[in-house]
Amino acid sequence: MGEFDLIERYFKRPTARAALGIGDDCALLQPSPGTQLAISCDMLVEGRHFLSTIDPFRLGHKALAVNLSDLAACGAKPLAFTLALALPRADEAWLAPFSQGLLALADAHNCELIGGDTTQGPLNICITVFGEVPVVGGRSQALLRSGAQAGDDLYVSGTVGDARLALEVFRGTVSVPAPVFDSARLRLEQPTPRVALGLALRGLATSAIDISDGLLGDLGHILKQSGVGATVDTETTTNLIAAYAYYTGARGQLDLKPSPEQWLGWSLAGGDDYELLFTAPPAARDLVAAAALASQTPVTHIGHISRERGLRLVDGDGQSVANTFTSFDHFA
Ligand code: ADP
Ligand code: MG
């Protein structure tokens, strides 16, 4: 199978939204009147961002999911994406499930594959995604990292820390019962981009970011760009690890238990969560709850923003917790 057969067979489909899709030198995309394009690019490298053992269907899903997560964090509606793919060989047993996983998520978000590049080389997947955000009265409705205000509530969507738990099981540093691992593994390999929540938070959240490198590290970007500080309740964030409930429930007697420090670290600095972290004024609490309901996405209040710079961690009793957590950095 040659390069062009491969594209034709696995990636080319009729386009509905784009003015021109795969097959020419450029794709053509017409954003709706009164909107601006939101553009983001994320690369996935084998061994760095995923393990070679990952099911190709899940990898196809994840490659697009991490990009859609960036659109979600901006409150942008997905439009289209391009796919640059380096493959060691044209392996149909890999390409078929990979493209199915990728295009199933694309269809779920009405986001079209409109072009790309295909080359032989070490497995590497690079997606650029395009979305649109309304401009109202000359002002972009995009959610930014820079708008958090002193007094705002701090929220996170969904669950955090389970992806890291799965990674640690793969690394052999911890062992958990099979059902706990299976659900954590799904969070690592097939994350859910919070697109509907991002859209519902437009005009409501004062700032937002998606958590890819760890909750505290990504919160740090909001704090720096907004020029504010924050307090985070670590008891609440630990309870947001889905797998944690297994141990705090009736089956809590198991001696395979990860330590309290491990749970704490996974929730605060686990990485690969792809949840939205955002701020909103206390007066908007009911509206945030309504946005969570409308987008069918759980949202939890985990702390607040303050004028005083820096990050403070507290436990359930409000006692200070030492911050020893470092988030992921490719070159650190
Ligand atoms: P060019 O040489 O002009 O860059 P190519 O021959 O590489 O174009 O690609 C032919 C067409 O196939 C282009 O429209 C390109 O966008 C598309 N394409 C190439 N690889 C992919 C891919 N992996 N997924 C989707 N479209 C692709
Ligand atoms: Mg090319």
Side-chain angles (χ1 to χ4, degrees):
M1 185 175 48
E3 175 186 335
F4 299 104
D5 293 334
L6 183 162
I7 297 165
E8 192 77 32
R9 188 166 318 170
Y10 294 107
F11 300 114
K12 185 168 178 177
R13 300 188 309 170
T15 45
R17 306 185 89 183
L20 185 65
I22 293 172
D24 216 303
D25 291 304
C26 288
L28 298 172
L29 191 61
Q30 179 73 60
S32 316
T35 66
Q36 58 187 187
L37 279 179
I39 303 162
S40 183
C41 175
D42 256 316
M43 180 156 66
L44 267 68
V45 176
E46 182 168 0
R48 268 273 124 181
H49 302 94
F50 60 91
L51 303 169
S52 54
T53 49
I54 189 173
D55 169 356
F57 182 95
R58 292 185 178 184
L59 182 59
H61 173 107
K62 180 165 183 172
L64 182 59
V66 303
N67 279 276
L68 290 174
S69 179
D70 285 316
L71 289 185
C74 276
K77 186 169 119 197
L79 286 178
F81 68 105
T82 61
L83 169 68
L85 200 54
L87 296 170
R89 60 200 163 274
D91 175 3
E92 302 206 45
W94 186 91
L95 276 159
F98 173 80
S99 69
Q100 280 162 15
L102 177 85
L103 296 175
L105 185 66
D107 288 346
H109 289 277
N110 201 9
C111 186
E112 271 175 358
L113 177 56
I114 57 170
D117 200 20
T118 307
T119 161
Q120 198 272 329
L123 184 55
N124 187 337
I125 304 155
C126 184
I127 288 180
T128 301
V129 77
F130 303 86
E132 62 184 20
V133 184
V135 179
V136 179
R139 267 181 69 104
S140 171
Q141 299 295 292
L143 303 175
L144 304 180
R145 298 175 176 186
S146 53
Q149 304 282 328
D152 279 353
D153 291 323
L154 179 65
Y155 299 91
V156 66
S157 66
T159 63
V160 293
D162 294 283
R164 180 59 179 268
L165 165 63
L167 183 63
E168 294 302 330
V169 173
F170 277 122
R171 286 175 172 167
T173 66
V174 68
S175 129
V176 296
V180 176
F181 173 59
D182 289 344
S183 63
R185 183 179 185 175
L186 260 179
R187 294 286 294 141
L188 175 68
E189 297 182 340
Q190 239 179 317
T192 305
R194 301 301 190 181
V195 174
L197 177 64
L199 294 176
L201 290 175
R202 277 198 316 229
L204 184 57
T206 48
S207 71
I209 190 169
D210 70 316
I211 306 176
S212 51
D213 298 330
L215 193 161
L216 294 186
D218 288 316
L219 172 59
H221 296 303
I222 287 186
L223 301 185
K224 185 165 179 217
Q225 296 193 30
S226 301
V228 292
T231 300
V232 172
D233 174 355
T234 61
E235 183 175 322
T236 306
T237 57
T238 302
N239 278 312
L240 284 177
I241 308 172
Y244 188 62
Y246 186 91
Y247 293 91
T248 51
R251 296 172 207 79
Q253 284 77 10
L254 288 174
D255 40 309
L256 308 160
K257 267 189 207 171
S259 69
E261 294 72 30
Q262 280 176 311
W263 290 118
L264 192 61
W266 296 337
S267 74
L268 296 176
D272 257 347
D273 297 308
Y274 301 103
E275 294 294 352
L276 296 188
L277 182 68
F278 62 95
T279 56
R285 277 183 194 161
D286 287 350
L287 293 173
V288 169
L293 194 64
S295 60
Q296 297 184 32
T297 310
V299 160
T300 306
H301 181 192
I302 61 163
H304 63 269
I305 300 295
S306 53
R307 197 176 315 278
E308 187 195 341
R309 302 283 180 106
L311 180 62
R312 288 159 293 280
L313 303 181
V314 293
D315 64 17
D317 300 323
Q319 299 298 310
S320 159
V321 172
N323 182 1
T324 53
F325 309 100
T326 44
S327 62
F328 190 75
D329 178 334
H330 283 280
F331 295 102

